[in-house]
Amino acid sequence: MLTLKKSQLRAAMHCSAKKDIRYYLVGVYLECASNGDMHIVGCDGHTLFAGLIPAPYVQWTGEPQVGPWSMIIPLDTVKSALKADKHSIIDLVAMPDGRYMLGSTVFSPVDGSYPDWRRASRWPAAASEAGQYDPDLLVQVNSAVKEWFDGGSKWTGYLHQFGTSSAVYTGDNMTGFSIIMPYRANDSDIRPFTPASYK
């Protein structure tokens, strides 16, 4: 059916929910658009990663599955499949009984509707004030985008801030990006202490 780079799935995993009552977020979302583009998405409610494989570069192992169609691959399935062998690519195969295989891992897609990630990925209007972000989430979105672009240990992306709106974290092009939500408004006046004189 489809051959994917493991790094593409790992990128989305960085931003997928690990445990959430919104069970449909605990997975990696694959979406084939009507024009043949493939999108790979992960979201946990605080961050979102979206990657694009343009239609000419989607690697079908057989007859292309004409879009639009989508599926949510359970997160445990993705983890197991990625650990099962050391190749850099992995096949997604449809089985006759309606289930699928990711590598050697058999699974049923998550039965649920994924959120409209396109709405979340619109770039907001710029604002004058700087946003404040959770450092752990910044590491998370950097890891996701770095994985997508096969960046090395010293690779870093670009954070586009839009004031108190969400920020967009990108690489060298927009085939992969992450969204990060800022801290909620905080009225407290936190300032560094005033150092005593050294003399």
Side-chain angles (χ1 to χ4, degrees):
M1 179 177 172
L2 183 65
T3 298
L4 297 165
K5 291 181 180 179
K6 285 185 173 181
S7 59
Q8 294 168 336
L9 294 172
R10 277 195 293 264
M13 279 177 59
H14 281 292
C15 292
S16 295
K18 307 307 181 275
K19 289 182 180 179
D20 201 300
I21 192 170
R22 298 166 295 180
Y23 63 93
Y24 45 82
L25 295 180
V26 187
V28 170
Y29 182 61
L30 290 187
E31 177 190 80
C32 183
S34 55
N35 68 351
D37 286 353
M38 184 68 63
H39 302 104
I40 303 177
V41 182
C43 178
D44 63 7
H46 301 285
T47 64
L48 177 146
F49 172 82
L52 163 69
I53 307 172
Y57 302 102
V58 178
Q59 296 181 30
W60 297 103
T61 55
E63 190 70 24
Q65 303 295 307
V66 178
W69 61 264
S70 63
M71 76 166 65
I72 305 170
I73 305 175
L75 191 61
D76 287 343
T77 296
V78 180
K79 288 178 181 177
S80 298
L82 295 184
K83 287 180 182 176
D85 66 68
K86 296 184 178 180
H87 293 85
S88 62
I89 59 172
I90 193 165
D91 289 332
L92 175 67
V93 179
M95 299 175 67
D97 63 2
R99 295 183 299 166
Y100 292 83
M101 284 183 69
L102 184 62
S104 59
T105 305
V106 178
F107 72 97
S108 295
V110 174
D111 185 14
S113 297
Y114 207 76
D116 184 0
W117 62 272
R118 285 176 175 77
R119 254 185 6 171
S121 64
R122 291 178 184 158
W123 284 44
S128 56
E129 67 275 23
Q132 301 295 318
Y133 305 95
D134 183 326
D136 290 334
L137 296 183
L138 285 169
V139 170
Q140 185 174 307
V141 296
N142 179 69
S143 297
V145 177
K146 177 167 69 173
E147 192 80 58
W148 182 263
F149 288 105
D150 294 321
S153 60
K154 295 184 178 180
W155 186 94
T156 187
Y158 308 95
L159 181 67
H160 309 271
Q161 293 195 59
F162 297 93
T164 54
S165 295
S166 55
V168 181
Y169 198 86
T170 65
D172 295 328
N173 61 53
M174 283 300 290
T175 61
F177 63 89
S178 283
I179 305 290
I180 179 172
M181 297 301 294
Y183 280 128
R184 299 297 179 198
N186 187 342
D187 294 331
S188 63
D189 185 12
I190 301 174
R191 304 181 190 213
F193 63 86
T194 301
S197 171
Y198 182 67
K199 295 179 181 179

